[in-house]
Amino acid sequence: MRLGAPRGSPSYQAMMASMAAVGMAMLSNVRKSSTMKVTAAREFGSALTLVNTALSDKVQARSHFTLAAVLLLSIFEIVTSRRQEELDAWTNHAYGAAALLELREAEQFQDELGLRLFYQTRFQIIICCLQTVSYFPPSVTKLLKSATFLPSGTFPYSENIMDINTKLTNLRADIKRAKITSDAEILSAAYEIDAELTMWLASLPPNFAFITAGANSRLEKHCCGVFAYNNRYHIYPDLWICSIWNHYRCARILVGEIIASELKRFRNRTPAVSLSKDFQIQEQSIYDRVRECATDICYSIPYYFGAADMGKVEGPSGDSSAHSISGRYAGSLIVLWFLTMAGTTDEVGSPLRNYTIDVLRIIGNEFGVGQALMLVGGLDNGSFYFGYERDDGDSEIFGQDFNGGILTSGS
C-alpha cells in the first residue's frame, strides 16, 4: 500500500488471501478447529487462483505483492505439513519464488522493499536447497551482481554468510551426485568453506555482539512455554542479527558433518592413523566446534519468543508482552531449521536433543506449525543424526533422512 499499488489488484488480493490462509491454518491447528481448517483451505485455494491471475499479467507478475504471496504460500505448507511427503509442495513454492526473482530482474532492487523481499526469498531458497541437497539456482546467483546493499550495516555480513552457504549447498549437491568423489578433493573444498566461516566470524563488527544471560522462573511463562537450555539464553541486538548468527552456526555444523565423515573414512582405511595425536586433536576439534554451535543455537531460541523484552510491556495477567505476540509467531517459523540442525548433533535421549524436541512440540501444539511435529518424529526416533557415511563404492549421501537428504540415520 505504501508503494501506491491498487488494493483491488490481483497481486494485492493474492497476498491478503495468502496471509489469511496462513493465519487460519495456524489457528485451526492450535484450536483443533475443523471449521477453521476448511476456511484456511478455501483461502489457500483463492490465493492460488489470484496468484495465477497475477502471473498472467506482465506487470502484476513483477509486483512485490505477488512475490510476497508466493512466500506466504510456502509458509502455509510449513504450517499444514505433517508428513514428509507433503513437503514437496513447500519446495515447489520455494523454487517458484526463485523463478519470480528471475522474472523481476534488476528492477526489484530499485527500492528498499524490493531488496528486502529479495534477501528474504534468498534465505528461504538456501534453506530449501540445504535440506534437499540441491544446487542453488544459478539464475539467482546471477541476479546478485545487480543487487545493492541496504543502508543497514548488517547486510554485507548477511550477504557474506549467504554466499558461503551457497558454496556449501553446491558442494553437498556435488558430493551427492558424485560430481566429486576424491576424498582429498572433498576435504579440501570443505576446509576451504570452513576457513571462510572462520574469517567471517573474525570480521564481525561490535554491533553483532550478543550477551548470555541466566534464566529465571519468569522466562518460560513470558516466552509462551519456551524455556532456556541449561538455564541460559542469548540476547541479540535484533532478530535479523540473531538469525544471521544461526545461519553461520548451521553452516558450521554441516561443514563439520562433511569433514568428520571424511576423517572417519580415512581412519577406517588406515587404522594406524588413529594413533596419531594430531589426528585425534583434529577430529575432536571438529566435534567440539559442532557441539558449541548446536549449544549456541539452543541458547538463542528464547530470544525468538520475547526473552529480551521481559518487563517492558506486560499483558493484564502479567505474562506475555502484548506488543510482541506476532513476533513470537514469526519466531516459531524461523527457528525450525535451526532447532533441527542443533538436535541432529547429539544422540537420542541427550539433554540437547531433548531440548530441541520439547521446543518443537511447543511450536507444533501452541503455535500451530505442523512441520514442527513432523520434525519431532524424526528427532525422537533417531532418524536424524549428525554425520553421513560414504562407502568407497558409492558416493551418495544415503540413509533415512528428511526432505530429500541432509542428515542420515545414526547407528
Side-chain angles (χ1 to χ4, degrees), residues 303-316:
Y303 182 81
Y304 289 95
F305 295 89
D309 63 7
M310 277 200 304
K312 291 183 180 178
V313 179
E314 292 189 345

Side-chain angles (χ1 to χ4, degrees), residues 12-30 33-51 68-81 93 329 333 367-370:
Y12 179 84
Q13 292 182 45
M15 183 187 71
M16 298 306 293
S18 299
M19 197 179 301
V22 171
M24 277 294 176
M26 295 179 86
L27 284 171
S28 70
N29 288 343
V30 170
S33 169
S34 57
T35 302
M36 286 183 173
K37 186 175 182 179
V38 170
T39 302
R42 185 172 63 246
E43 292 289 351
F44 180 76
S46 175
L48 282 176
T49 300
L50 289 164
V51 165
V70 173
L71 291 175
L72 285 164
L73 290 176
S74 71
I75 293 175
F76 180 89
E77 303 296 349
I78 292 173
V79 170
T80 58
S81 296
H93 286 307
Y329 274 90
L333 293 164
F367 291 87
V369 182

Side-chain angles (χ1 to χ4, degrees), residues 75 159 289 301 340 360:
I75 293 175
E159 272 304 285
R289 187 184 301 147
I301 298 304
T340 305
L360 285 169

